[in-house]
Amino acid sequence: MNRTPPQPDTAHTEATGQTEATGQEGADRRDTGLGARRARVHRALRRATRPGPWKRGPVPAALALLLGLLMLLHARITDRGGLGSLVETFLPWFGLFVPVLLAGALWRRSASAVVALLLPVTVWLNLFGGLLGDKSHPGSDLTVASHNVDAGNPDPAGTARDLAASGADVLALEEITPRAEPLYEKGLAKAYRYHTVQGTVGLWSKLPLSDIRPVDIATDYGPLAATKPASAKLAYNRALRATVTTDRGPLAVYVAHLGSVRVLPRNGFWTDSRDRGAKALAKAVAAEPNKRLVLLGDLNGTTDDRAFDGLTSRLRSAQDEAGDGFGFSWPATFPVARIDQILVRGVRPESSWVLPATGSDHLPVAAGIGW
């Protein structure tokens, strides 16, 4: 007898499956809802604990304040190891940190850092904002120029031609070597009737010169210095003084090449020779009886440098008063500092500019002055 196997209760199975599915879906919805609530809670907590724009970016804000204080109080930085002089030599370039810090502040969306940047911006503009515009005036009574011609200049004759074509009435040269001196004398003879060379510095003029003498800027010092004859000292002389006779009266002209600065492993930014020369030169200028005076030369430092306080307290910078821009003069290939100066007293700077490059590692500088 054939028996038919029992058939499963299809309706019951389907109902059971539907119930289980419905239960799983409900559980999934409950889990999803719980997860969504948890995510919303976490987002709310993050928003509540996230620092606002005034609390974000403490590092760029602190760096901005430090930069501003550095520029504001640069004169108080210790000069041990020449640190103060080094900072002041390149002080204008500290302004380049402002856009870098601004980019960091914007990236961090930090309102405090942006506000903090107002300090360095204000200080920089106060120190150097006046140099950004052209302050020159048309016309002048006398044009003066100065150039460190470089002892290693490969083309002294070409440099002399370039300088003669500058149109300067009075021309000062520094770092003249015995080998190159005849070449400068020959190249400048046609344009300049009067000239003098004292050691490594010289002065060429279209107007008569008188009262010419070397100036002791303590280049040669120490116990043995007093025992050397004048002829030996003159060979290494780096400063002179002369009187230029003008239609407006006598003008005292000083030419100087102060000692070089060095970056040494033990001494840091070594400026002893230059600083000693700056003090001696300031003393000579202070004792000058002529009220009208022009100082031309390579001072191996900027007028922001504290080493020149003795000079800048008595003399005014032609570039600062009548120039266009910073007037950087060294190095010639990519000038980053103005260490070649034209400083005046008793006359009025009308214009100041930098001349085209020659064979030297310095650029020539020139100025028009008036009475």
Side-chain angles (χ1 to χ4, degrees), residues 239-311:
L240 67 83
R241 184 262 182 219
T243 297
V244 177
T245 302
T246 75
D247 294 339
R248 300 296 187 91
L251 174 69
V253 176
Y254 283 73
V255 181
H257 181 198
L258 299 186
S260 300
V261 298
R262 297 283 188 271
V263 179
L264 303 176
R266 291 187 177 182
N267 298 331
F269 192 57
W270 184 80
T271 62
D272 291 1
S273 176
R274 184 206 63 183
D275 295 350
R276 187 171 58 250
K279 291 180 180 179
L281 184 58
K283 185 177 180 180
V285 167
E288 171 59 48
N290 196 326
K291 294 182 179 180
R292 297 190 181 104
L293 181 149
V294 174
L295 169 61
L296 306 165
D298 172 11
L299 303 188
N300 270 309
T302 70
T303 53
D304 297 308
D305 196 316
R306 67 193 68 184
F308 302 109
D309 287 349
L311 288 170

Side-chain angles (χ1 to χ4, degrees), residues 50-315:
R50 182 185 302 166
W54 292 101
K55 293 183 179 180
R56 286 196 295 266
V59 173
L63 291 176
L65 292 176
L66 287 175
L67 176 62
L69 291 173
L70 176 68
M71 293 191 291
L72 180 64
L73 304 175
H74 65 87
R76 296 176 179 266
I77 298 174
T78 178
D79 205 30
R80 186 174 182 179
L83 178 61
S85 286
L86 181 62
V87 169
E88 289 165 340
T89 296
F90 299 102
L91 196 58
W93 293 96
F94 280 77
L96 293 180
F97 289 110
V98 170
V100 175
L101 292 175
L102 178 60
L106 295 176
W107 179 69
R108 293 286 292 138
R109 297 180 181 178
S110 171
S112 58
V114 172
V115 172
L117 279 169
L118 292 176
L119 177 62
V121 169
T122 302
V123 174
W124 192 92
L125 289 175
N126 182 64
L127 291 172
F128 306 111
L131 298 175
L132 299 179
D134 186 357
K135 301 175 293 299
S136 62
H137 304 92
S140 63
D141 296 313
L142 195 72
T143 300
V144 297
S146 176
H147 190 26
N148 179 327
V149 292
D150 184 9
N153 191 323
D155 186 18
T159 297
R161 287 193 300 270
D162 292 340
L163 295 173
S166 69
D169 301 300
V170 177
L171 173 65
L173 302 187
E174 303 87 46
E175 212 166 290
I176 302 171
T177 64
R179 177 189 64 83
E181 182 180 341
L183 298 176
Y184 291 119
E185 290 178 337
K186 181 179 179 181
L188 297 171
K190 186 175 180 180
Y192 299 95
R193 182 178 177 183
Y194 308 95
H195 90 279
T196 179
V197 175
Q198 303 286 317
T200 63
V201 294
L203 185 65
W204 276 257
S205 176
K206 296 178 180 180
L207 303 171
L209 298 176
S210 61
D211 301 329
I212 301 167
R213 64 175 182 269
V215 176
D216 184 6
I217 56 170
T219 302
D220 194 359
Y221 77 105
L224 298 179
T227 65
K228 294 183 179 180
S231 58
K233 291 184 178 181
L234 182 60
Y236 299 99
N237 180 70
R238 293 167 67 112
L240 67 83
R241 184 262 182 219
T243 297
V244 177
T245 302
T246 75
D247 294 339
R248 300 296 187 91
L251 174 69
V253 176
Y254 283 73
V255 181
H257 181 198
L258 299 186
S260 300
V261 298
R262 297 283 188 271
V263 179
L264 303 176
R266 291 187 177 182
N267 298 331
F269 192 57
W270 184 80
T271 62
D272 291 1
S273 176
R274 184 206 63 183
D275 295 350
R276 187 171 58 250
K279 291 180 180 179
L281 184 58
K283 185 177 180 180
V285 167
E288 171 59 48
N290 196 326
K291 294 182 179 180
R292 297 190 181 104
L293 181 149
V294 174
L295 169 61
L296 306 165
D298 172 11
L299 303 188
N300 270 309
T302 70
T303 53
D304 297 308
D305 196 316
R306 67 193 68 184
F308 302 109
D309 287 349
L311 288 170
T312 54
S313 62
R314 297 181 175 91
L315 307 176

